[in-house]
Amino acid sequence: MALLSSLRTQGLFGALYYTGTRSISSGSLHITDSLNFWSGGRVGLKDVKTKSEPVYEPATGRVLCQLQACGAADVDAAVRSASAAFTVWSKLAGMERARVMLEAARLIEKRREEIAEIEVINNGKSITEARLDVDSARLCIEYFAGQATTLSGQHVQLPGGSFAYTRWEPLGVCVGIGAWNYPFQIAAWKSAPAIACGNSMVFKPSPVTPVTAVLLAEIYSQAGAPEGLFNVVQGGQETGSLLCHHPSVAKISFTGSVPTGKKIMEMASRGVKPVTLELGGKSPLIIFEDSDLENAVRGALMANFLSQGQVCSNGTRVFVQSSILPQFLTEVVRRTKAIRIGDPLLDETRMGALVSKPHLDKVLGYVKQAKKEGARVLCGGEPFIPEDPKLKDGYYMTPCVLDGCTDDMTCVREEIFGPVMSVLSFDTEEEVLRRANDSDLGLAAGVFTKDVKRAHRVIENLQAGSCFINNYNVTPVEVPFGGYKASGIGRENGQVTIEFYSQLKTVVVEMGDVDSLF
């Protein structure tokens, strides 16, 4: 922490570019100018035609570096590198692939603090959360290292001694396109199942948070992966389009907004390429009158304010049964006001900066719109300036609780992606189920109740892919994560993900003579 704080104070990050040769070294931290990675190392760009764009540190508003997007020649070089690696990697036994992955996990654990601090600098979330994100990345790689050793098909006995068998085979070069809210974790969540199955990957991080994906590429390389197994290309929409249309790409996995997900699905369809889409959410959290109120309040806070509310699965429509609404609001407002906002590199901070100035303005605009439509702001929803003068230009706001919300309000219908909790009251189970399902999205849902039968009954009837009973936003890597409806296609994590990064081959073996009709 002291190291990055020093870099922040000196403003050294402002000297970083993706396309030059200069690097910065201080102590154990060494950041080179290029954040692109293929053919086993960081590389400069061949196709520098676009104007560079600044990348900001959310906590201070300072420029970290300049982003130069990869063009067609760069994307092609990265894909060719991945294709070469696939030829080698796909022929290895699962145990051999697992050995490399476990070493990568060990290196992540060794560099945990460094990776977390750089994630904070680029993303703005608290160091406490960033450490947990790095842990999740490591655990995901460990989990799929185990899965790599168990990949197997099915044997089917047929008449006359003949038989058939199936085998799972890798797809080839997979593309991963990440979001800015969990940069390092998403890179691991997409790459781990892909390489466990024998694929290679070209990963494009969000242009807002481009810094940490290249660290994962270096770690895989140091762990013994063949050159080109995991490659990183930087850029925005045009670079993503080049990846999706590349003829050598076999699959695309995307995390981000619904509109962008639809475009990616359309592009992939032209090449009949499978997609995994983890898209937006406007998830319901239902709190019944018999719930443990203390746990329900904790769950509501976890469902709304992790990563400054910038979490796709957040339960931002909080339905509270009318009889306990006053008690719930009193306690949730008290807890929300006590959330410590400030320097995300400090251990005591619980809410850092939003990811960018335009996004901060967008979230604050939703609060203003909610007030215009009749919602009551019980706390927060205002810009926040920390006491530290170095943070005066950062992108901070106070976490907000809205009361008096109705189902037709903008704050209830649209994904805000910020620290804004919309509270709605309900009377009956039938009523709340109907209202909770009244959305085009279906990523997640949660219920708090002491009635076990009701808990399972309600969850069964909620139209959402990732559900929680008496907790929220718990995402162990052993279980699948993904949504219903417009919230996406496919799953990440869990054993089932193997099926989304493999293709099934059926082989029929005849042990007798051919019985021909001709």
Side-chain angles (χ1 to χ4, degrees):
M1 184 186 303
L3 178 60
L4 282 180
S5 295
S6 174
L7 287 174
R8 172 191 287 169
T9 302
Q10 297 171 46
L12 295 180
F13 278 112
L16 289 175
Y17 287 81
Y18 291 359
T19 54
T21 58
R22 183 170 64 254
S23 66
I24 294 170
S25 180
S26 177
S28 61
L29 180 65
H30 185 77
I31 301 180
T32 61
D33 50 346
S34 178
L35 299 181
N36 300 289
F37 190 102
W38 57 80
S39 298
R42 299 194 189 216
V43 293
L45 300 186
K46 299 178 181 179
D47 192 7
V48 182
K49 296 179 181 178
T50 59
K51 181 181 177 182
S52 63
E53 297 290 341
V55 176
Y56 297 94
E57 178 188 14
T60 65
R62 295 181 180 179
V63 174
L64 292 177
C65 50
Q66 297 291 328
L67 173 68
Q68 189 77 50
C70 287
D74 306 301
V75 167
D76 186 61
V79 173
R80 282 190 285 107
S81 176
S83 295
F86 171 73
T87 302
V88 177
W89 185 253
S90 61
K91 301 302 181 184
L92 297 182
M95 188 69 77
E96 293 173 298
R97 295 198 292 266
R99 191 175 299 118
V100 172
M101 296 178 70
L102 289 173
E103 176 62 12
R106 186 192 69 80
L107 291 172
I108 290 173
E109 186 170 26
K110 182 179 179 181
R111 297 177 62 180
R112 178 183 189 242
E113 196 67 14
E114 173 199 354
I115 297 168
E117 289 176 349
I118 297 174
E119 191 86 319
V120 169
I121 289 287
N122 195 195
N123 171 271
K125 68 174 61 185
S126 73
I127 186 66
T128 300
E129 287 193 42
R131 289 177 184 132
L132 296 175
D133 293 352
V134 176
D135 291 342
S136 176
R138 171 182 57 81
L139 290 168
C140 181
I141 294 171
E142 289 177 346
Y143 174 78
F144 282 107
Q147 292 296 312
T149 68
T150 64
L151 298 180
S152 60
Q154 181 183 17
H155 178 276
V156 180
Q157 193 65 45
L158 300 175
S162 297
F163 61 94
Y165 64 90
T166 61
R167 49 180 285 146
W168 289 104
E169 296 183 348
L171 297 167
V173 177
C174 298
V175 162
I177 301 178
W180 48 253
N181 54 342
Y182 288 90
F184 190 80
Q185 176 182 297
I186 289 175
W189 277 23
K190 294 191 183 301
S191 62
I195 66 175
C197 293
N199 304 287
S200 59
M201 175 165 277
V202 179
F203 184 80
K204 190 193 80 66
S206 165
V208 179
T209 53
V211 176
T212 50
V214 72
L215 300 180
L216 182 60
E218 289 182 329
I219 285 170
Y220 278 134
S221 180
Q222 292 163 9
E227 289 187 4
L229 182 67
F230 181 77
N231 310 271
V232 177
V233 297
Q234 303 289 348
Q237 182 177 345
E238 184 175 345
T239 304
S241 178
L242 289 168
L243 286 167
C244 293
H245 285 120
H246 199 288
S248 296
V249 167
K251 185 226 166 60
I252 302 154
S253 177
F254 169 74
T255 296
S257 70
V258 174
T260 304
K262 290 179 178 179
K263 292 178 182 177
I264 286 174
M265 191 173 183
E266 181 182 356
M267 287 187 284
S269 70
R270 297 173 189 173
V272 198
K273 299 173 183 179
V275 295
T276 294
L277 302 175
E278 197 276 275
L279 307 178
K282 192 64 184 178
S283 303
L285 173 60
I286 302 171
I287 300 173
F288 286 96
E289 59 188 357
D290 68 334
S291 64
D292 182 313
L293 188 61
E294 169 68 16
N295 276 328
V297 169
R298 290 180 181 178
L301 296 173
M302 290 293 287
N304 282 270
F305 299 140
L306 281 177
S307 293
Q308 298 76 250
Q310 301 166 143
V311 182
C312 53
S313 59
N314 270 359
T316 53
R317 292 186 293 148
V318 181
F319 292 92
V320 183
Q321 202 152 20
S322 301
S323 59
I324 60 167
L325 182 61
Q327 303 97 294
F328 173 84
L329 288 174
T330 298
E331 188 59 19
V332 83
V333 168
R334 184 184 71 82
R335 296 283 190 90
T336 301
K337 287 180 176 179
I339 294 173
R340 180 152 184 171
I341 313 166
D343 189 341
L345 284 172
L346 298 179
D347 285 332
E348 58 267 29
T349 297
R350 285 298 172 266
M351 183 169 289
L354 275 71
V355 77
S356 70
K357 182 64 165 61
H359 187 63
L360 171 63
D361 292 341
K362 179 181 177 181
V363 174
L364 292 172
Y366 271 109
V367 176
K368 292 180 181 178
Q369 181 66 25
K371 289 192 285 187
K372 287 181 181 178
E373 294 179 8
R376 295 184 296 275
V377 177
L378 300 185
C379 66
E382 300 289 342
F384 179 82
I385 301 176
E387 295 179 1
D388 188 338
K390 296 194 299 293
L391 309 178
K392 65 180 178 63
D393 294 322
Y395 316 133
Y396 301 91
M397 69 174 285
T398 50
C400 178
V401 177
L402 298 174
D403 181 31
C405 298
T406 58
D407 295 340
D408 59 345
M409 289 182 176
T410 305
C411 63
V412 177
R413 303 302 302 177
E414 298 183 11
E415 185 178 30
I416 298 174
F417 223 64
V420 180
M421 179 192 301
S422 299
V423 182
L424 307 98
S425 66
F426 75 93
D427 293 313
T428 69
E429 179 181 319
E430 181 182 10
E431 169 208 346
V432 77
L433 277 170
R434 174 180 52 78
R435 294 169 61 193
N437 288 329
D438 183 21
S439 172
D440 293 333
L441 303 173
L443 183 53
V447 56
F448 276 81
T449 178
K450 293 179 182 177
D451 186 332
V452 175
K453 290 183 179 180
R454 175 162 59 190
H456 290 287
R457 183 173 65 245
V458 170
I459 288 294
E460 180 184 356
N461 287 284
L462 284 170
Q463 298 167 4
S466 300
C467 296
F468 309 93
I469 295 175
N470 293 330
N471 209 332
Y472 206 91
N473 270 339
V474 181
T475 53
V477 298
E478 300 94 329
V479 300
F481 178 79
Y484 285 6
K485 299 191 280 191
S487 286
I489 295 172
R491 292 295 181 268
E492 295 191 304
N493 292 337
Q495 187 175 1
V496 70
T497 303
I498 295 297
E499 299 180 18
F500 297 108
Y501 284 95
S502 302
Q503 51 195 344
L504 189 63
K505 176 177 285 183
T506 299
V507 181
V508 178
V509 181
E510 177 60 59
M511 299 301 289
D513 296 328
V514 174
D515 187 8
S516 176
L517 294 176
F518 306 101

